[in-house]
């Protein structure tokens, strides 16, 4: 991989459950100070914690550039509602929204809804892929210039620029169009953890950003190649996929550790390989893996966000910036711009020939 | 003196926003929501209100294109607004038919935490198969079942909120009823208000009963003094059989206001607003809604159609149906004949109504009279301009209401319940 390809960094701001706005705002602002691409907030119906998308909507007006990526589960929820909520996060943040699609596999989660029993991960991930697909179609269901406000004809919208999606999935169908006009990014960024077998296919097919858990640069590179091949097989440009290595990091309280490195430590919520060391050690690891072509970047989950995120930003990120491996400011405004991903063309808009050409 | 409650309705999908007015801006950009919310908070309003619709309206099988359309998802916008306001209540309309108690109770409790006790839920019940086409469950819910599901939904949500004690301990819940069979642990601790405020909108007998049994606020459409008093007396009388006091439920009609320098100025503005709201195209549409026929060939400045309405028609989708089209048509004909009105003029006279029109003094006195004589406990104001439509009201009418002692000059509490003067819900552990 060429070293001129930008490095991408993201951080989880979850940690132990907190229900107030101030602590989440403080962490997101800290990450924004380091010009990170985005923050994530994990979520699940199975363990204590507030609704992640709501928290990041609360954070949006209190930040200005950082991408906001809540986890949203697709198993017991309505794809139509998910699509509306994520589009709305994009509207309230001025184009900084993403969502990490996840599934609910347990019987305990199924009982919270009482609609259907737990199902195998493979079926749930297929459904998650369909939810991502239906959601993206709903985001496209309004062309960007559908609102015309044409006083002469009395028309507020041009209804020919609104489209039914008529999506038929294996467990749901959606007629459309969306109630939310196409969001600022066209399509908010879709993130999937593509490590596990059943998630790999929907990740390669629908995700913009894929997280992978790997214990060596070779393993990460091989997962990345696999995902890029999968994307190509689905007719996508593999360069429209960003693969980030997930690391759970414990930065302790020294600059460097006597024996830094990956450990088979506690697998905290399964958020990636456990790294213990100082901020400088982490910068070393990121530099080596990144320059070796293992990944497009890293998704870091600090085990103690208040302490470790501060050390990531002021230690690790500062060092990477000093080495010119990471940006020092945000050149763009939207999450897609941070990630170097274009604004997707609308699948329903006819390719209109510019005037004067034929 | 009886204190008035005020709320600001952000006009979402509707035919009353004068969107061609140069002062009318985006109905979707966050800056618009921020402007109206900050205006409402400057006016010490009780809450900010968002309606909801889950399928775009259609007319004659095609997407209806004359009205303001396209809006964000309510709870997400309100969470963002919590960042730019401090005291204002934040009310989301969320359908009880197309959601599940566990997920919605969690989202509402989250908003209550993130806003430090300002969340409200307007429970609506539309259950039509047309909207159902966007959802897993489809549209199987019978009209007759909509309030049984809504009532069980609200009580289940309260069971979930009560599964955390005020002291921070939690225990598992188990609910078994006709609509929901669920159990487990709720993931959000008791929120600042204990239970977010529950609002009900819906006017049938079952709707009123549901509100009387369980709601904190009722959102109505009764904009005249007489209709308001009758509704008020009816609903407040229903409370006793549920062991509730008249003061446990606030009645707030949705109303419009036009303020001018003088009463005559305001009347003139109101007439112009009505004319703009009922464009020639909208006049024909309103006619088609009553007649149930394609009347696109009629001249809006000409007379009403000679044919009668088709009562079995289904050309209108996603809107409240006209209950008695033949009766309405007869009324419109009589009006048109007696005053010599065209189609458009008839529609203007019959449909869109500003409820409060006049100088700031007149409007303040009229509002106060409604509240003092038990036609309402307050109002949900629906502006015809987005987002600046309440600027005048807040700058010119609110100070008069405050001088008269009819409306607060400062917030005395920090939660929406405290603004509304509602008691803390008793924890039922
Ligand atoms: C003042 C008022 C506001 C309403 N707002 C909404 C709304 O925002 N979204 C919605 O789906 N239904 C809305 N409804 C419809 C009601 O939820 C309900 O479906 C409808 O009034 C039929 O019930 P009813 O027969 O009890 O009146 C509203 C009704 C009223 C009276």
């Amino acid at each position: 991989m060429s070293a001129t390809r930008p490095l991408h960094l993201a951080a989880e701001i979850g940690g132990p459950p907190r229900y107030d706005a101030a602590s989440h705002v403080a962490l997101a602002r800290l990450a924004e100070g380091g010009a990170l691409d985005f923050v994530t907030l994990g979520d699940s119906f199975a363990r204590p914690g507030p609704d992640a998308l709501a928290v990041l909507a609360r954070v949006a007006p209190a930040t200005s550039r950082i991408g906001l990526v809540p986890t949203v589960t697709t198993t017991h929820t309505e794809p139509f509602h998910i699509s509306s909520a994520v589009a709305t996060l994009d509207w309230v943040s001025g184009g900084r929204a993403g969502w990490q699609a996840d599934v609910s596999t347990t019987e305990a989660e199924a009982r919270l809804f009482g609609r259907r029993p737990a199902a195998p991960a493979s079926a749930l991930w297929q459904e998650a892929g369909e939810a991502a697909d239906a959601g993206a179609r709903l985001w496209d269901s309004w062309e960007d210039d559908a609102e015309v406000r044409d006083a002469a004809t009395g028309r507020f919208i041009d209804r020919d620029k609104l489209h039914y999606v008529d999506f038929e999935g294996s467990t749901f169908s959606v007629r459309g169009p969306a109630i939310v006009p196409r969001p600022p990014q066209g399509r908010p960024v879709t993130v999937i953890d593509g490590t596990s077998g059943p998630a790999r296919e929907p990740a390669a097919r629908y995700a913009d950003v894929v997280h992978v858990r790997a214990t060596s640069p070779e393993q990460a590179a091989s997962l990345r190649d696999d995902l890029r091949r999968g994307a190509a097989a689905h007719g996508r440009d593999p360069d429209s996929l960003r693969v980030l290595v997930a690391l759970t990091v414990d930065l302790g309280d020294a600059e460097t550790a006597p024996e830094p490195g990956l450990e088979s430590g506690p697998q905290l919520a399964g958020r990636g390989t456990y790294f213990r060391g100082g901020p400088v050690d982490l910068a070393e690891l990121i530099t080596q893996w990144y320059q070796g072509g293992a990944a497009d970047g890293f998704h870091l989950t600090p085990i103690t966000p208040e302490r470790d995120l501060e050390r990531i930003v002021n230690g690790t990120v500062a060092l990477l910036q000093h080495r010119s491996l990471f940006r020092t400011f945000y050149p763009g405004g939207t999450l897609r711009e941070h990630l170097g991903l274009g604004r997707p063309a609308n699948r329903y808009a006819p390719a209109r020939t510019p005037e004067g050409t034929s | 003196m009886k204190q008035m409650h005020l709320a600001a309705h952000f006009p979402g999908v509707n035919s009353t926003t004068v969107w061609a007015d140069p002062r009318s801006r985006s109905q979707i950009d966050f800056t618009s929501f921020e402007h109206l919310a900050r205006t409402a908070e400057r006016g010490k309003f009780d809450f900010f209100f968002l309606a909801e619709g889950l399928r775009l309206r259609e007319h004659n099988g095609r997407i209806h294109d004359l009205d303001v359309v396209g809006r964000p998802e309510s709870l997400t916008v309100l969470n963002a607004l919590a960042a730019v306001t401090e005291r204002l209540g934040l009310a989301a309309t969320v359908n009880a038919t197309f959601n599940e108690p566990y997920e919605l109770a969690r989202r509402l409790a989250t908003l209550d935490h993130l806003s430090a006790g300002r969340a409200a839920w307007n429970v609506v019940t539309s259950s039509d198969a047309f909207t159902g086409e966007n959802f897993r469950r489809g549209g199987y819910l019978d009209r007759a079942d909509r309030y049984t599901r809504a009532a069980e939904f609200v009580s289940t949500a309260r069971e979930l909120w009560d599964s955390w004690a005020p002291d921070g301990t939690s225990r598992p819940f188990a609910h078994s009823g006709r609509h929901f069979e669920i159990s487990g642990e709720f993931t959000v601790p008791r929120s600042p208000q204990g239970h977010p405020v529950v609002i009900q909108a819906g006017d049938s007998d079952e709707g009123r009963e549901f509100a009387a049994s369980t709601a904190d606020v009722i959102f109505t459409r009764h904009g005249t003094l007489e209709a308001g008093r009758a509704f008020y007396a009816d609903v407040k009388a229903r409370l006793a059989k549920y062991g509730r006091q008249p003061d446990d439920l606030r009645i707030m009609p949705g109303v419009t206001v036009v303020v001018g320098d003088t009463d005559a100025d305001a009347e003139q503005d109101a007439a112009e607003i009505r004319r703009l709201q009922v464009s020639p195209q909208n006049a024909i549409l309103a006619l088609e809604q009553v007649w149930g026929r394609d009347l696109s060939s009629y001249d809006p400045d000409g007379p009403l159609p000679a044919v009668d309405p088709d009562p079995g028609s289904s050309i209108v989708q996603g809107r409240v149906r006209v209950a008695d089209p033949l009766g309405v048509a007869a009324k419109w004909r009589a009006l048109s004949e007696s005053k010599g009105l065209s189609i458009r003029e008839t529609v203007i006279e019959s449909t869109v109504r500003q409820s409060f029109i006049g100088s700031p003094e007149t409007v303040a006195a009229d509002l106060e009279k409604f509240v003092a004589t038990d036609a309402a406990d307050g109002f949900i104001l629906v502006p015809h301009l987005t987002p600046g439509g309440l600027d005048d009201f807040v700058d010119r009418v609110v100070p008069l209401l405050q001088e008269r002692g009819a409306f607060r000059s400062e917030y005395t509490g920090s939660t929406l319940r405290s603004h509304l003067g509602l008691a803390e819900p008793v924890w039922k552990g």
Side-chain angles (χ1 to χ4, degrees):
Chain A
M1 191 196 324
S2 119
T4 57
R5 176 187 213 117
L7 169 68
H8 300 286
L9 293 176
E12 163 71 20
I13 59 167
R18 278 165 305 217
Y19 300 89
D20 66 313
S23 58
H24 292 103
V25 167
L27 289 170
R29 283 190 176 151
L30 188 55
E32 189 169 63
L36 265 56
D37 290 68
F38 59 92
V39 290
T40 59
L41 184 58
D43 200 357
S44 147
F45 292 121
R47 60 190 160 84
D51 179 74
L53 192 139
V55 171
L56 293 185
R58 172 64 182 76
V59 165
T63 52
S64 57
R65 291 299 182 99
I66 193 145
L68 304 167
V69 181
T71 293
V72 180
T73 59
T74 61
T75 305
H76 301 293
T77 46
E78 290 283 357
F80 188 84
H81 288 323
I82 293 174
S83 154
S84 300
V86 175
T88 301
L89 183 62
D90 209 42
W91 278 107
V92 302
S93 65
R96 298 186 280 133
W99 68 300
Q100 176 159 348
D102 203 354
V103 298
S104 309
T105 54
T106 68
E107 201 54 62
E109 287 160 294
R111 276 196 299 270
L112 299 171
F113 288 81
R115 280 163 76 156
R116 53 180 181 160
S122 55
L124 298 181
W125 274 110
Q126 184 193 330
E127 183 185 49
E130 290 172 358
D133 189 9
R137 286 170 192 274
L138 286 164
W139 295 331
D140 281 354
S141 69
W142 290 58
E143 294 184 36
D144 291 317
D145 52 359
E147 186 182 314
V148 292
R149 296 195 184 220
D150 182 24
T153 59
R155 293 176 316 143
F156 185 80
I157 47 162
D158 177 350
R159 61 179 158 208
D160 293 333
K161 293 183 177 173
L162 265 60
H163 304 274
Y164 295 99
V165 303
D166 285 325
F167 185 89
E168 289 285 341
S170 48
T171 60
F172 66 91
S173 58
V174 172
R175 176 98 168 106
I179 50 165
V180 189
R182 196 163 195 249
Q185 294 184 101
R187 295 178 209 148
V189 171
T190 296
V191 182
I192 291 178
D193 183 336
T195 312
S196 76
R200 197 86 48 88
E201 147 90 11
R205 192 162 175 184
Y206 299 114
D208 301 297
V209 175
V210 185
H211 294 164
V212 295
R213 285 168 277 156
T215 48
S216 69
E218 294 73 28
Q219 190 192 2
S222 135
L223 276 167
R224 181 171 181 270
D225 289 344
D226 192 33
L227 285 157
R228 288 169 61 90
R229 269 195 304 275
H234 287 295
R236 302 179 64 191
D237 175 359
D239 287 334
S240 66
L241 205 64
R242 299 282 171 268
V243 180
L244 309 187
V245 170
L247 295 178
T248 293
V249 301
D250 171 0
L251 296 187
D253 36 35
E255 288 313 305
T256 60
E259 287 175 55
L262 304 176
E263 286 183 19
S264 53
Q267 288 294 302
L268 282 164
R271 282 189 191 282
T273 306
Y274 192 73
F275 171 87
R276 192 198 304 271
V280 174
D281 303 318
L282 180 60
E284 285 301 332
L285 179 132
I286 288 174
T287 304
Q288 279 171 24
W289 285 39
Y290 169 66
Q291 288 185 332
D296 302 303
F298 293 82
H299 175 244
L300 307 172
T301 298
I303 61 157
T304 312
E306 271 75 10
R307 178 196 65 182
D308 292 326
L309 190 59
E310 194 274 328
R311 295 173 72 79
I312 288 170
V313 167
N314 295 324
T316 307
V317 170
L319 188 53
L320 293 169
Q321 288 169 331
H322 178 70
R323 291 177 184 172
S324 301
L325 276 175
F326 191 63
R327 69 168 93 83
T328 53
F329 64 97
Y330 291 101
T334 70
L335 175 53
R336 282 190 175 272
E337 283 166 352
H338 307 339
L339 290 164
L341 297 171
R343 189 173 190 274
N346 190 326
R347 83 193 71 203
Y348 298 110
R352 293 192 174 87
T353 340
E355 262 173 77
T357 63
S358 57
Chain B
M1 184 187 292
K2 187 175 164 191
Q3 288 293 296
M4 175 182 307
H5 299 281
L6 291 173
H9 187 301
F10 186 95
V13 172
N14 72 89
S15 59
T16 52
T17 295
V18 180
W19 51 258
D21 189 297
R23 291 166 295 177
S24 172
R25 297 210 304 274
S26 173
Q27 81 290 3
I28 180 86
D29 284 344
F30 185 63
T31 51
S32 290
F33 293 88
E34 188 172 353
H35 181 100
L36 191 73
R38 284 189 192 268
T39 305
E41 189 162 77
R42 182 158 58 82
K44 316 294 178 203
F45 278 35
D46 293 69
F47 60 95
F48 175 95
F49 181 92
L50 289 172
E52 179 193 66
L54 296 171
R55 171 111 188 238
L56 297 190
R57 290 167 173 185
E58 289 181 5
H59 185 74
N60 257 340
R62 302 187 67 194
I63 290 168
H64 176 55
D65 59 359
L66 302 177
D67 296 344
V68 174
V69 61
R71 63 168 135 213
E73 185 270 316
S74 302
L75 283 166
T76 304
V77 171
L78 296 181
N79 277 297
L81 285 176
V84 297
T85 54
E86 287 175 2
R87 298 290 187 98
L88 187 67
L90 302 165
T93 298
V94 187
N95 203 296
T97 303
F98 303 109
N99 287 281
E100 298 300 319
Y102 187 83
E103 186 190 12
L104 185 56
R106 185 171 183 264
R107 297 185 76 205
L108 288 162
T110 299
L111 175 63
D112 208 41
H113 277 289
L114 295 173
S115 66
R118 299 188 277 142
W121 172 28
N122 177 36
V123 186
V124 293
T125 54
S126 332
S127 59
D128 55 293
F130 176 75
T131 306
E133 283 178 19
N134 282 330
F135 298 98
R136 293 180 192 266
R137 292 176 342 110
Y140 76 80
L141 200 63
D142 260 17
R143 191 179 143 80
D145 278 342
R146 71 199 192 289
Y147 282 112
T148 63
R149 180 177 162 102
E152 190 178 330
F153 200 126
V154 173
S155 68
T156 306
R158 287 181 175 144
E159 284 171 42
L160 299 179
W161 293 328
D162 279 350
S163 72
W164 284 74
D167 71 3
T169 56
S170 85
R171 52 174 178 70
F173 68 88
H175 171 93
S176 174
R178 189 169 144 220
H179 294 274
F180 311 108
E181 180 85 43
I182 62 174
S183 61
E185 281 176 63
F186 193 56
T187 62
V188 183
R190 194 166 181 82
S191 69
Q193 293 187 107
H195 300 170
V197 168
V198 169
I199 306 173
Q200 188 270 352
D203 198 22
S204 59
D205 196 55
E206 303 107 288
R208 293 178 187 205
E209 216 51 46
F210 169 55
S213 66
T214 207
D216 300 305
V217 176
I218 181 163
F219 174 27
T220 83
R221 292 205 172 98
H222 299 281
T224 68
L225 199 60
E226 298 68 34
R229 279 186 194 149
F231 179 81
Y232 193 99
D234 176 74
V235 171
K236 295 260 173 169
R238 293 174 191 244
L239 288 160
K241 81 171 105 123
Y242 301 101
R244 305 180 73 199
Q245 305 295 320
D247 226 23
D248 292 344
L249 180 70
R250 301 276 168 267
I251 296 179
M252 299 178 70
V255 300
T256 59
V257 172
V258 178
V259 185
D261 289 339
T262 64
D263 288 354
D265 284 352
E267 287 292 348
Q268 208 178 344
D269 286 353
E272 177 61 10
I273 290 162
R274 259 175 290 192
R275 218 183 58 78
L276 293 169
Q277 286 170 330
V278 184
S279 65
Q281 296 85 353
N282 260 323
I284 296 298
L285 176 92
L287 203 65
E288 290 181 333
Q289 271 174 256
V290 175
W291 260 256
R293 296 178 187 276
D294 178 355
L295 302 173
S296 50
S297 62
Y298 281 76
D299 176 3
D301 297 321
L304 292 177
V307 294
D308 274 334
D310 169 7
S313 156
S314 61
I315 74 165
V316 179
Q317 291 276 30
R319 284 173 190 271
V320 178
R321 207 165 271 281
V322 175
D324 171 22
L326 289 164
V328 174
K331 242 193 261 170
W332 285 19
R333 281 214 183 94
L335 178 74
S336 156
E337 275 160 32
S338 70
K339 293 195 178 176
L341 302 181
S342 68
I343 289 174
R344 189 175 175 199
E345 290 161 340
T346 306
V347 172
I348 287 171
E349 287 250 334
S350 319
T351 55
V352 193
R353 274 273 156 88
Q354 264 73 34
S355 314
F356 296 92
I357 301 168
S359 67
E361 291 75 17
T362 302
V363 168
D366 286 351
L367 291 172
E368 197 195 325
K369 182 162 150 207
F370 264 65
V371 172
T373 62
D374 285 349
D377 293 316
F379 306 93
I380 299 184
L381 302 180
V382 188
H384 67 272
L385 282 179
T386 302
L390 290 182
D391 294 3
D392 263 2
F393 183 87
V394 164
D395 293 334
R396 304 180 68 186
V397 182
V398 167
L400 298 180
L401 293 170
Q402 291 168 333
E403 272 170 35
R404 291 163 161 268
F407 186 63
R408 71 174 70 84
S409 296
E410 279 307 327
Y411 290 109
T412 51
S414 61
T415 67
L416 175 54
R417 266 180 199 283
S418 68
H419 306 337
L420 290 167
L422 296 168
E424 293 247 316
V426 178
W427 177 64
K428 297 203 185 80

